[in-house]
């Protein structure tokens, strides 16, 4: 936090480090809503997985996040799509993801898997007093060249932290 005070917000946020991740994400949407004078309830995130593990400059709009792992699949960095896991590798570190605020009616979901993001591998949680799950964060849209059912049957999910 002292670094944020001295040098401003970082270009890439380690999303796994937030206790209440939904509040951080709502703040990112609020910043966009205020900038473009759009009601926040008309906004959601679009996603772009970058080909890098870190960035030096923040995006113009939205946030860059890092620290996520794919469970049940891997991210093919060469073609920018979900792919089958490599043998004996359970979790694949995901490159930086750009969470781009956008109007809900402008988001295209075809050819993408809505991958659930969980804080832990337990994949379960309880509703807190805020109405949010204590484990589930949000779905992240990941491009794929396979049917969505393929990834659902494999139980593919993104995780903020690993068990070990």
């Amino acid at each position: 936090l002292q670094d944020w005070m001295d040098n401003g917000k970082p270009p890439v946020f380690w999303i796994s480090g937030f206790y209440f991740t939904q509040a951080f994400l709502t703040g990112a949407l609020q910043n966009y809503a205020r900038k473009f004078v759009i009601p926040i309830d008309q906004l959601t995130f679009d996603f772009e997985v970058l080909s890098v593990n870190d960035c030096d400059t923040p995006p113009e709009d939205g946030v860059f996040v890092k620290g996520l792992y794919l469970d049940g699949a891997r991210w093919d960095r060469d073609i920018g799509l979900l792919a089958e896991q490599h043998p004996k590798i359970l979790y694949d570190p995901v490159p930086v993801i750009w969470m781009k605020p956008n109007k809900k009616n402008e988001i295209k979901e075809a050819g993408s898997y809505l991958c659930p993001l969980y804080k832990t591998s337990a994949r379960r949680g309880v509703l807190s007093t805020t109405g949010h799950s204590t484990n589930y964060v949000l779905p992240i849209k990941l491009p794929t060249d396979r049917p969505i059912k393929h990834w659902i049957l494999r139980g593919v999910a993104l995780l903020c932290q690993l068990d070990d």
Side-chain angles (χ1 to χ4, degrees), residues 84-125:
E84 296 296 329
Q85 290 175 297
H86 288 302
K88 300 181 183 180
I89 298 178
L90 295 178
Y91 305 106
D92 183 51
V94 178
V96 170
I97 297 177
W98 181 10
M99 301 181 83
K100 305 184 280 188
N102 206 338
K103 289 185 177 178
K104 290 178 182 177
N105 60 354
E106 294 177 4
I107 302 286
K108 294 175 180 61
E109 308 226 348
S112 296
Y113 169 58
L114 287 175
C115 187
L117 171 61
Y118 295 98
K119 292 180 183 180
T120 69
S121 65
R123 298 191 188 201
R124 61 181 165 77

Side-chain angles (χ1 to χ4, degrees), residues 2 6 17 25 43 57 93 106 110 117-118 134 140 151 155:
Q2 186 62 45
D6 297 340
L25 298 174
L43 297 176
T57 57
E106 294 177 4
L117 171 61
Y118 295 98
T134 56
I140 292 185
W151 304 115

Side-chain angles (χ1 to χ4, degrees), residues 2-52:
Q2 186 62 45
D3 189 46
W4 286 20
M5 293 285 294
D6 297 340
N7 303 316
K9 69 178 188 175
V12 181
F13 293 93
W14 179 52
I15 196 167
S16 307
F18 291 110
Y19 176 75
F20 189 35
T21 313
Q22 289 89 342
F24 166 73
L25 298 174
T26 300
L29 288 176
Q30 278 181 325
N31 288 338
Y32 185 86
R34 289 178 182 151
K35 180 178 179 181
F36 294 101
V37 192
I38 301 170
I40 194 169
D41 61 343
Q42 293 180 10
L43 297 176
T44 190
F45 285 109
D46 199 3
F47 305 92
E48 182 179 335
V49 181
L50 306 181
S51 59
V52 296

Side-chain angles (χ1 to χ4, degrees), residues 1 26 28 51 64 70 75 78 111 114-116 133 144 147 150-151 159:
L1 289 177
T26 300
S51 59
F64 289 147
L70 265 169
W75 184 253
D78 295 329
L114 287 175
C115 187
S133 169
T144 179
H150 177 84
W151 304 115
L159 306 175

